[in-house]
Every structure is written in structure tokens, then in C-alpha cells.
């Protein structure tokens, strides 16, 4: 008797579960796409407000790609976006999905990853599709184009040119220090002089306001790239696949960074200062902790939102007189088609094209996501007159000559440069030695990759 | 022929037996399948891959002991091993001692005993990621709670130093002009990052504490009474009654602690964004393994590291077992 009772109870629970499940799933079926729509999935690494902005971009894509968007017979495309934390997490999820044969239809990648991903065979070359769509080299800013090219083919298209860096400065603090707020420093000597005058200390000797921290804004490896190029350094030779992080000018840049560190109380004092800093609305520049700072385009555009009363100027990056004044390099996001996806490639490429090389798409995306298109012909560039932030970054974009090395060993390079920076900042090794070790280790990593992957891809 | 038949005879099963075996297999089947696919196969495959150059996307290329040879010459591997051993040597004894002292205190018959027990166990319930992010703030050199306590102490010492007569300090061979250092930079300072993580691990001793507490309650009262009658003081009772009686639990937590230290990963990964910084001071074994596998996609190399970890854990455990053989008391054993 008892056994039967328990059985009945279990059956009852099962029944209830099925009924409940039905109710849970019904509403989502209402939003189901029209049966003939091609559904494509995009993976990206944008979070917070940028993720919200991306949803708007995707909604606009879907709106403009309803049935009949490309001739009466064309079915609608329904794009869906999925957030994958950027960095290692993104690599892992993308690679596992690729290895398992179920990658997303479209993937957003940090530009530095394209060569690595391509060399591992996880991306499709886009050249033929681009030819058919009439897209080519001339449509993009040169560095943006360059970082998508590997082994003679194009593996992704740049959706965002990230011109690094403009220097923002706090006019109020300039005035307080007796400096002309309309005349930001141009040369390195001027920068140091301004920095001396702008830095103030508390009674106990801790830093109150810092003139500039060369390793903030551009962090770790990016600081090495930024100042290394400003000093006239060369990081990589494409022809011979040689990494040169211990180029004499880069060593000099690193020595300068360390000199600046020691000037303001050394590593410990700076770290204590840095430990109190936060991002977002409490960004140290917004709250007047930095008088000057190298800044990403998105952070600069957020000044208006988080610190509307801040009086600031924006200028090209200072540099040594025998190096580059107003030096710039391009990073940014690229979009590609993973290999191994079946069937939806045409629709997927349409999304790539729309986000990277379509007049309406690129302008819409740039407006929402606070970035500059890599697509030279985007009408967005006609909209920026009068916006001094965008104008400043547009200036950098037009003049930027550098892009981080495009090599299957780029990820190792970034890692080793981070390590070298950390070792120098901790006085574990002098710059020349630390950078030489970065060269050896990266070159060795490339040698290992080349052992099994020839330079020319099949 | 006769052999086969005798084999059959021995395995002769009644229909009932057969049905029971079948039923048993049906019930254990899902687990068996999961074990074979998700545990047994990866273990075997990882050993094979450890002898190969393998990046997940192309077929593995056999290279013999190449990965193992390379590991021996890899300074970061040595560094990761050193960091892990450092952590083990300090964190395990400190967490065990803290847990034991707490367990003894919480074993006292006082009012609100249950409340105290809950409070000290609470940190162990907090998910590891959440507690790590919390500790990022506690260990913040400028605004962290920990340094908020340390800073006034250092200031007080400094004031005392200044107040003491110079002659006295000199007489003791001390420098009257000595300046006390600022509080530790914790995770921002390579010299303090591991101690910072060790302090954090002490916060999570709740699990060990509960085990010790259970052990303490199992110690027969008669032993204490007998010891007391023989004139044993409090320390002697702890030393000669309590510790031997809970030695199996201490031993168990020691071995588990060692294994857990070799696998120490989440906290370091979150606190350093996976980089093991500053200056590789928190590059622990498992973190370096992970980076090789999933950042550089050197699966063969990472597999070799995993197998070396396995051997190291085996060796360490064997050594501990050997050392503990005469020191662990198993009642009824």
C-alpha cells in the first residue's frame, strides 16, 4: 500500500513539473523568430553599458534585415548576441566550442588575437566574400586593416578603431599650479616639468594629486608599447618574424618610466596611491587625482557623464624630441567568422559586413558604442565636427602608424611584456635584462609554433 | 577445454544472480559511463598528450619526454613550484593551528556556544569567488581594513621609539633614528602577496575547525579524569591526551591540505587577473598549468605539468604517511 502511495506522489510531482515547465517555456515561444528566419549568434566581450549599446546595435541590424531586405526572396536574419567575458575566458569558451565543432556564427575578437586564432585554424578567411561584397584594403584605416591580415589573407574585419592614446589634462589643476591651461605639454621635458609642478603631497608624505602616471591608462604591456613607440622604438620585424622588445629606444622608454616612478616616491608610494584608485565613475582623472593622463576614447567620452563639471583639455601624447610627439597606435575590436559552422555563413558575413563596412551600420554602432569606425568611408566621420573629444581621437587615428605585432606568438609577447614591466617596476631586473628575456621567451614561443605551423598557411 | 568449463562452473550463475547483476549494472550504468567518459578517458588521454606537442586543434605530435625535459629548464615552472611550496609550508601549519585553537575554545562550555560556532564557521560557507573579491578590499594597502589596524600600531611603535631615551636604545644596540616601514603592500608587493594569501586562507578554517570539534567531542572523558588524577596540568592533558586522540583527524586535514595547496588556483586567479603577479610572486603551480593549457594552448606541456603534480602529491602523501605512522593513533586499529 505504502509503495503505491509513494509512487502516486512521485507521479504527481512529475506531472506538476511537466505542467510548470510548459508554462515556463510558453512565453519564450511567443518571441520565436519567423520560421524562415536565419538565426545567427554573435559572441562578444562587451559588458555593462557597452553590452546594452550592443543590444541596440543588434536590434537595428535585425530591423534592417527583415524578410525581403535584399530582394523580395531574401529571408530575414535574426542576430542574437551572447556575452563571453573577454580575456582568457573568451579564448577558452571559443576554442572549446570550435574544437567541439559548434562555434558561434560570428565572433568578436580583440585585434591582438586575430593572428593567433587564424594560425590555429579557428577562423575562416574572408577574402572571397569581401571581394564579392566589394570591400577591400582601401575601405579601412591602414593599421586596422593590417591587424586583420595574416599569412596573406584577411581573417576578420575591424569594427572599432581604438586610437591610443590622447592625453587629457585638468585645466583647474593647471591654473592652480600656475600653468597655462591652453598650453598642454608637448615634449617629454615639458611633461616632466609640468608633472613636478602639478604633483602635490599630503602632510604624511603620501601623494594627493599626481601629475601623470605613465603606467596608468596604458597598463602593463600596453604601457611598454605606448611609450616604446613614443621613444622611437621598434617591437617587431614582420619580414624576419623577429621580436625586438629590447630595442635601445624601448629600453630608454622603460628607464624613463622608472625614473618617473622614483621621482614620485618610488614603487611603494605610487602603489599605495594607485591602490586607492577606482574605475568607472570614480576614475582618478574624473575626481582630480591625476592632473594629466593617457586615456582610452571611451573613458574620455564618459567624462561628460561622470564628471560634467570637470574642466579639461585634450591633447596629443607628448614625446621625446628625438622620438615621436603625438605618437599613436591602433588597437580595437575585430569581427570574424569561426571555421566549422554550417549553413549560416552568408547571413553571418552580412552581420560582419554591416558592423564593419556598411555606412549605416558603422555609423550607428559608433554612435551607440562610443568608438570610431575602422571603416574610413563611414558617414560617422562627418558627424564629429565640433565634438572635441572625437576630433582629438580622429586626429590620432589619421596619424597613427603603429599596431601591435601581428603574429601567432602575440599573446606570448603581451604576457612577456607584462612580466618585464612588472619585474622592472619591482626592481627585480633592470629594463635591458627584463626586455631581453621577454625577447628570448617570445622568440622561443614562436619557434615552437613554427615547428608545427609553417608560415604560409595551406 | 576443461579449463573453460571449470571457469564456467565457477561463474555459474543462477537466473536470479544474473538478474541481480543486470539490475546492478543498469543502476550503476549511468555512473560507470560517466566515470569512463569523463574521468578514466581524460586521465589516460592526458598521459598520452603529456608526451606530445598538442594544441587541441591539430592532431597531437608525439615528442617523447620533450615536455618533461623542457619543464625542468623552465624558470617559471620552478618559480611556480617554489611559490606553491612556500604557501604550503606556511599556510598548512598556520591554518591547522588556528583551526585547532578555535575548536578547543569553541569546545568550552560557555553561554552562546552555538552562536560562536556558527560565526567562526560562516566564512567557509561564503563562495570562494565572493570571499576572494572581499579580500581584495581587505588587503587593499591604502584603504583595506587590515592595514587600517596595522597602520596605527606601526605609528604607535614609532611614537614609542621616539619617546624612549636615545641612550637606552643605543645601549640595547638599536638605532634611535629607526623609521618603521609603512604597512605591507599585500597584493601589490611581491614580498607580501603570498603572506596576504596565507592570511586569507586562515580566514577560511571553518571546515577544519568543525572536524576538530567533532574529534574533540569524541575524546573519552575518562582519559582526562585519569590524567588529572595523575597530576597532569592543562598543557600536559592537551599534549598527551587531546592531540594523540584526535591525531587521525589532524593527519587527515594535513594530507587534504597538501593536496588542496597543489591545486590552489581560484584565489590567485581572481586576485591577479590570471597573471600571477606582481612579478610572478603568486604564480602558483595550478595557475601556471592553467595558463599553459588555456592561454598558450600548450596542452601537452600542461598535461605533463598535471602528471608531475600527481607524482608530487603521491610522493608528499607517501612521505607524510611514513612520517606519521608511529604518531597517529587509531582507536581500535
Amino acid at each position: 500500500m505504502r509503495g503505491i502511495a509513494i509512487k502516486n506522489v512521485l507521479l504527481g510531482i512529475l506531472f506538476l513539473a511537466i505542467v510548470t515547465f510548459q508554462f515556463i517555456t510558453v512565453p519564450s515561444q511567443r518571441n520565436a523568430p519567423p520560421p524562415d528566419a536565419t538565426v545567427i549568434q554573435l559572441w562578444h566581450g562587451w559588458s555593462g553599458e557597452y553590452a546594452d549599446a550592443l543590444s541596440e546595435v543588434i536590434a537595428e541590424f535585425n530591423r534592417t534585415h527583415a524578410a525581403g531586405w535584399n530582394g523580395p526572396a531574401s529571408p530575414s536574419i535574426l542576430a542574437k548576441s551572447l556575452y563571453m567575458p573577454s580575456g582568457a575566458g573568451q579564448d577558452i569558451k571559443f576554442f572549446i566550442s570550435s574544437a567541439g565543432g559548434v562555434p558561434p556564427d560570428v565572433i568578436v575578437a580583440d585585434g591582438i588575437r586575430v593572428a593567433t586564432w587564424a594560425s590555429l585554424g579557428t577562423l575562416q578567411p574572408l577574402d572571397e566574400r569581401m571581394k564579392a561584397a566589394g570591400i577591400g584594403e582601401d575601405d579601412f584605416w591602414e593599421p586596422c586593416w593590417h591587424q586583420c591580415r595574416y599569412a596573406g589573407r584577411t581573417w576578420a574585419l575591424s569594427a572599432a578603431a581604438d586610437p591610443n592614446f590622447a592625453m587629457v589634462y585638468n585645466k583647474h589643476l593647471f591654473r592652480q599650479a600656475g600653468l597655462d591651461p591652453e598650453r598642454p605639454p608637448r615634449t617629454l621635458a615639458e611633461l616632466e616639468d609640468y608633472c613636478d609642478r602639478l604633483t602635490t603631497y599630503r602632510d604624511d608624505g603620501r601623494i594627493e594629486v599626481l601629475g601623470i602616471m605613465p603606467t596608468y591608462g596604458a597598463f602593463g604591456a600596453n604601457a611598454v608599447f605606448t611609450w616604446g613607440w613614443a621613444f622611437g622604438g621598434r617591437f617587431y620585424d614582420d619580414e624576419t618574424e623577429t621580436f625586438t622588445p629590447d630595442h635601445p629606444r624601448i629600453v630608454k622608454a622603460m628607464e624613463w618610466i622608472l625614473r618617473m616612478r622614483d621621482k614620485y616616491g618610488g614603487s611603494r608610494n605610487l602603489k599605495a596611491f594607485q591602490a586607492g584608485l577606482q574605475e568607472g565613475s570614480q576614475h582618478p582623472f574624473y575626481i582630480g587625482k591625476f592632473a594629466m593622463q593617457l586615456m582610452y576614447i571611451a573613458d574620455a567620452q564618459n567624462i561628460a557623464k561622470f564628471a560634467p563639471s570637470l574642466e579639461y583639455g585634450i591633447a596629443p601624447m607628448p614625446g621625446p624630441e628625438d622620438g615621436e610627439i603625438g605618437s599613436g597606435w591602433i588597437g580595437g575590436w575585430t569581427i570574424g567568422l569561426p571555421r566549422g559552422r554550417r549553413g549560416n555563413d552568408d547571413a553571418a558575413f552580412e552581420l560582419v559586413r554591416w558592423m564593419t563596412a556598411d555606412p549605416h551600420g558603422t555609423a550607428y554602432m559608433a554612435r551607440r558604442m562610443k568608438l570610431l569606425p575602422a571603416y574610413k568611408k563611414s558617414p560617422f566621420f562627418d558627424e564629429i565636427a565640433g565634438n572635441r573629444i572625437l576630433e582629438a581621437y580622429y586626429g590620432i587615428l589619421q596619424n597613427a602608424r603603429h599596431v601591435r605585432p601581428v603574429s601567432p606568438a602575440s599573446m606570448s609577447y603581451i604576457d612577456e611584456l607584462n612580466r618585464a614591466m612588472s619585474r622592472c617596476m619591482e626592481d627585480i631586473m633592470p629594463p635591458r635584462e627584463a626586455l631581453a628575456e621577454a625577447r628570448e621567451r617570445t622568440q622561443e614561443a614562436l619557434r615552437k609554433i613554427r615547428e608545427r605551423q609553417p608560415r604560409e598557411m595551406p | 577445454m576443461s579449463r573453460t568449463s571449470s571457469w564456467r562452473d565457477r561463474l555459474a550463475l543462477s537466473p536470479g544472480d544474473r538478474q541481480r547483476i543486470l539490475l546492478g549494472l543498469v543502476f550503476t550504468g549511468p555512473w560507470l559511463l560517466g566515470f569512463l567518459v569523463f574521468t578514466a578517458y581524460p586521465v589516460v588521454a592526458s598521459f598520452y598528450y603529456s608526451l606530445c606537442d598538442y594544441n587541441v586543434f591539430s592532431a597531437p605530435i608525439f615528442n617523447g619526454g620533450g615536455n618533461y625535459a623542457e619543464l625542468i629548464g623552465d624558470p617559471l615552472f620552478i618559480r611556480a613550484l617554489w611559490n606553491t611550496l612556500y604557501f604550503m609550508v606556511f599556510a598548512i601549519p598556520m591554518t591547522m593551528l588556528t583551526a585547532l585553537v578555535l575548536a578547543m575554545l569553541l569546545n568550552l562550555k560557555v553561554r552562546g556556544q552555538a552562536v560562536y560556532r556558527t560565526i567562526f564557521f560562516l566564512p567557509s560557507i561564503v563562495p570562494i569567488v565572493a570571499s576572494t573579491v572581499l579580500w581584495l578590499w581587505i588587503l587593499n594597502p591604502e584603504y583595506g581594513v587590515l592595514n587600517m589596524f596595522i597602520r596605527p600600531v606601526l605609528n604607535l611603535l614609532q611614537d614609542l621609539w621616539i619617546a624612549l631615551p636615545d641612550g637606552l636604545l643605543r645601549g640595547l644596540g638599536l638605532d634611535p633614528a629607526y623609521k618603521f616601514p609603512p604597512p605591507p603592500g599585500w597584493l601589490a608587493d611581491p614580498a607580501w602577496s603570498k603572506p596576504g594569501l596565507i592570511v586569507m586562507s586562515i580566514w577560511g578554517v571553518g571546515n577544519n575547525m568543525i572536524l576538530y570539534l567533532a574529534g574533540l567531542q569524541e575524546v573519552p572523558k575518562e582519559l582526562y579524569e585519569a590524567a588529572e588524577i595523575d597530576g597532569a596540568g592543562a598543557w600536559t592533558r592537551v599534549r598527551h591526551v587531546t592531540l594523540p586522540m584526535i591525531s587521525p583527524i589532524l593527519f587527515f586535514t594535513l594530507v587534504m591540505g597538501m593536496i588542496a595547496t597543489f591545486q590552489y588556483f581560484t584565489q590567485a586567479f581572481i586576485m591577479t587577473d590570471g597573471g600571477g603577479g606582481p612579478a610572478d610572486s603568486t604564480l602558483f603551480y595550478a595557475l601556471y598549468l592553467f595558463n599553459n593549457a588555456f592561454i598558450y594552448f600548450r596542452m601537452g606541456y600542461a598535461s605533463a605539468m598535471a602528471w608531475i603534480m600527481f607524482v608530487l602529491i603521491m610522493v608528499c602523501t607517501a612521505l607524510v604517511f611514513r612520517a606519521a605512522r608511529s604518531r597517529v593513533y587509531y582507536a581500535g586499529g
Side-chain angles (χ1 to χ4, degrees):
Chain A
M1 274 307 282
R2 240 176 108 168
I4 290 167
I6 289 171
K7 207 165 151 192
N8 284 346
V9 170
L10 285 177
L11 277 175
I13 291 173
L14 187 67
F15 175 75
L16 278 176
I18 290 169
V19 169
T20 319
F21 184 68
Q22 282 298 320
F23 277 108
I24 291 169
T25 51
V26 161
S28 70
Q29 280 171 357
R30 264 190 227 129
N31 295 335
D36 58 338
T38 314
V39 180
I40 51 174
Q41 187 142 77
L42 166 89
W43 285 8
H44 65 92
W46 284 297
S47 58
E49 56 172 323
Y50 302 103
D52 297 341
L54 183 74
S55 326
E56 290 180 44
V57 173
I58 295 294
E60 177 67 7
F61 173 82
N62 290 338
R63 192 185 66 76
T64 52
H65 290 77
W69 64 275
N70 188 23
S74 59
S76 61
I77 305 177
L78 186 79
K80 292 181 170 180
S81 61
L82 187 64
Y83 168 68
M84 289 285 147
S86 57
Q90 188 193 27
D91 274 350
I92 295 163
K93 291 190 176 107
F94 174 54
F95 281 22
I96 289 173
S97 69
S98 286
V102 284
D105 301 284
V106 181
I107 182 96
V108 176
D110 185 357
I112 190 78
R113 290 188 150 76
V114 173
T116 307
W117 287 10
S119 74
L120 286 170
T122 59
L123 295 175
Q124 301 183 26
L126 302 177
D127 305 78
E128 275 169 34
R129 290 179 184 281
M130 285 165 59
K131 211 171 175 184
I135 309 170
E137 183 170 1
D138 298 338
D139 294 321
F140 298 93
W141 299 103
E142 203 280 322
C144 303
W145 172 257
H146 181 80
Q147 74 175 347
C148 296
R149 298 279 300 173
Y150 173 70
R153 272 181 252 179
T154 315
W155 301 91
L157 288 173
S158 277
D162 192 4
N164 298 324
F165 284 92
M167 190 186 75
V168 289
Y169 62 96
N170 185 320
K171 288 189 177 177
H172 173 68
L173 293 174
F174 264 50
R175 245 179 256 122
Q176 253 182 6
L179 294 165
D180 179 359
E182 300 312 321
R183 206 194 160 291
R186 269 190 84 246
T187 65
L188 213 59
E190 276 178 344
L191 179 71
E192 285 185 46
D193 175 44
Y194 277 47
C195 200
D196 284 343
R197 298 207 220 170
L198 287 160
T199 304
T200 57
Y201 297 91
R202 285 192 244 170
D203 294 339
D204 59 359
R206 287 190 279 166
I207 298 167
E208 175 77 53
V209 173
L210 186 61
I212 192 167
M213 189 186 278
T215 51
Y216 202 89
F219 297 97
N222 280 352
V224 187
F225 282 121
T226 305
W227 293 105
W229 275 316
F231 271 73
R234 289 278 163 275
F235 282 88
Y236 178 64
D237 183 81
D238 239 337
E239 285 300 307
T240 57
E241 295 203 293
T242 314
F243 294 93
T244 52
D246 53 346
H247 186 283
R249 308 296 278 172
I250 300 171
V251 173
K252 245 182 133 174
M254 200 71 129
E255 284 166 355
W256 175 78
I257 289 172
L258 294 183
R259 216 176 65 229
M260 291 292 278
R261 176 202 69 182
D262 294 337
K263 215 167 169 179
Y264 301 106
S267 168
R268 186 180 276 277
N269 206 7
L270 278 185
K271 270 187 195 150
F273 178 70
Q274 193 171 350
L277 305 178
Q278 291 176 51
E279 291 294 308
S281 63
Q282 294 299 303
H283 193 291
F285 182 75
Y286 301 167
I287 59 171
K289 287 252 160 208
F290 283 131
M292 301 178 280
Q293 205 216 314
L294 300 184
M295 207 175 245
Y296 286 109
I297 182 170
D299 286 338
Q301 290 185 85
N302 276 338
I303 297 176
K305 178 169 153 198
F306 292 125
S309 57
L310 182 73
E311 229 194 309
Y312 67 96
I314 186 159
M317 212 181 116
E321 294 201 65
D322 56 350
E324 292 177 12
I325 292 174
S327 172
W329 59 275
I330 300 298
W333 296 99
T334 66
I335 311 185
L337 297 187
R339 208 189 272 268
R341 197 64 189 183
R342 320 127 306 248
N344 294 343
D345 283 349
D346 290 338
F349 182 74
E350 172 56 19
L351 179 62
V352 175
R353 188 201 65 80
W354 190 82
M355 288 173 86
T356 60
D358 180 85
H360 176 62
T362 55
Y364 192 90
M365 185 160 161
R367 268 179 236 131
R368 289 291 179 284
M369 302 198 64
K370 298 180 176 170
L371 45 81
L372 290 176
Y375 184 55
K376 235 194 243 178
K377 301 170 179 168
S378 175
F380 183 73
F381 292 109
D382 303 329
E383 296 174 16
I384 65 180
N387 180 330
R388 61 187 175 127
I389 295 176
L390 291 179
E391 278 178 348
Y393 283 95
Y394 185 35
I396 300 170
L397 175 56
Q398 284 168 307
N399 296 320
R401 303 214 307 268
H402 308 294
V403 68
R404 290 171 296 182
V406 180
S407 157
S410 312
M411 296 314 293
S412 294
Y413 200 25
I414 300 281
D415 221 49
E416 293 303 332
L417 289 179
N418 278 327
R419 177 166 288 117
M421 175 59 99
S422 179
R423 284 174 167 178
C424 290
M425 292 304 267
E426 300 299 339
D427 287 322
I428 290 170
M429 268 186 196
R432 192 180 306 276
E433 249 174 71
L435 290 166
E437 204 180 305
R439 168 172 52 76
E440 279 162 30
R441 287 184 61 91
T442 313
Q443 208 67 55
E444 176 62 14
L446 179 67
R447 194 187 62 76
K448 290 232 171 65
I449 294 168
R450 285 284 170 250
E451 258 175 25
R452 47 182 309 149
Q453 289 170 9
R455 196 170 176 189
E456 295 313 319
M457 306 212 10
Chain B
M1 281 316 279
S2 64
R3 261 184 94 163
T4 9
S5 64
S6 72
W7 178 80
R8 283 215 174 138
D9 289 343
R10 252 182 281 153
L11 269 182
L13 297 168
S14 69
D17 285 342
R18 262 195 213 129
Q19 201 190 354
R20 269 194 291 279
I21 285 177
L22 192 70
L23 212 58
L25 281 175
V26 166
F27 278 112
T28 53
W31 180 86
L32 274 176
L33 198 69
F35 171 76
L36 289 175
V37 173
F38 295 116
T39 305
Y41 167 72
V43 167
V44 175
S46 80
F47 183 70
Y48 172 66
Y49 292 143
S50 80
L51 303 172
C52 296
D53 186 7
Y54 180 47
N55 72 357
V56 187
F57 293 100
S58 27
I61 300 170
F62 189 79
N63 71 355
N67 291 326
Y68 293 93
E70 193 188 331
L71 273 170
I72 293 166
D74 180 351
L76 287 182
F77 171 72
I78 307 295
R79 182 76 216 233
L81 204 54
W82 157 251
N83 287 338
T84 309
L85 291 177
Y86 178 111
F87 189 83
M88 192 181 283
V89 165
F90 287 99
I92 294 181
M94 283 168 81
T95 48
M96 283 177 70
L97 188 67
T98 315
L100 186 61
V101 171
L102 278 176
M104 285 176 168
L105 289 174
L106 294 175
N107 202 27
L108 298 174
K109 299 265 177 295
V110 291
R111 263 167 68 115
Q113 191 195 39
V115 175
Y116 292 125
R117 285 180 181 176
T118 310
I119 289 174
F120 282 102
F121 186 68
L122 268 180
S124 311
I125 306 173
V126 181
I128 218 164
V129 174
S131 69
T132 307
V133 173
L134 180 74
W135 273 85
L136 269 175
W137 282 104
I138 295 177
L139 293 174
N140 184 306
E142 186 77 349
Y143 298 105
V145 180
L146 198 54
N147 278 3
M148 260 167 65
F149 286 108
I150 294 175
R151 195 171 286 122
V153 173
L154 287 169
N155 289 344
L156 190 71
L157 285 173
Q158 186 75 66
D159 291 346
L160 265 175
W161 204 258
I162 294 166
L164 286 172
D166 287 3
L168 178 70
L169 290 171
R170 262 198 213 98
L172 292 168
L174 300 165
D175 176 14
Y178 179 74
K179 279 249 180 291
F180 281 87
W186 299 120
L187 298 169
D189 185 341
W192 283 102
S193 53
K194 280 191 286 288
L197 292 174
I198 291 168
V199 171
M200 179 176 130
S201 71
I202 291 174
W203 189 67
V205 295
N207 281 324
N208 279 359
M209 184 192 80
I210 290 290
L211 289 175
Y212 296 157
L213 201 51
L216 288 175
Q217 288 169 1
E218 289 294 303
V219 181
K221 295 262 176 318
E222 310 88 76
L223 291 180
Y224 287 119
E225 287 161 9
E228 220 172 333
I229 290 164
D230 287 346
W235 168 246
T236 317
R237 285 199 302 270
V238 169
R239 169 75 189 77
H240 293 286
V241 178
T242 313
L243 289 184
M245 290 308 287
I246 64 164
S247 59
I249 301 177
L250 290 173
F251 178 63
F252 170 77
T253 53
L254 173 66
V255 172
M256 294 315 278
M258 255 172 33
I259 295 172
T261 313
F262 268 110
Q263 299 173 343
Y264 190 75
F265 174 78
T266 315
Q267 294 89 332
F269 182 81
I270 291 169
M271 288 197 154
T272 68
D273 247 348
D280 299 324
S281 61
T282 59
L283 186 71
F284 292 98
Y285 197 99
L287 188 58
Y288 189 50
L289 191 160
F290 176 88
N291 285 350
N292 270 305
F294 296 108
I295 309 284
Y296 316 129
F297 288 91
R298 303 193 59 201
M299 287 294 171
Y301 200 64
S303 298
M305 278 190 78
W307 277 91
I308 291 180
M309 187 201 302
F310 173 69
V311 170
L312 283 174
I313 291 177
M314 290 296 281
V315 169
C316 286
T317 312
L319 286 177
V320 172
F321 263 92
R322 179 178 273 264
R325 199 182 290 154
S326 58
R327 294 184 180 83
V328 176
Y329 169 77
Y330 292 103

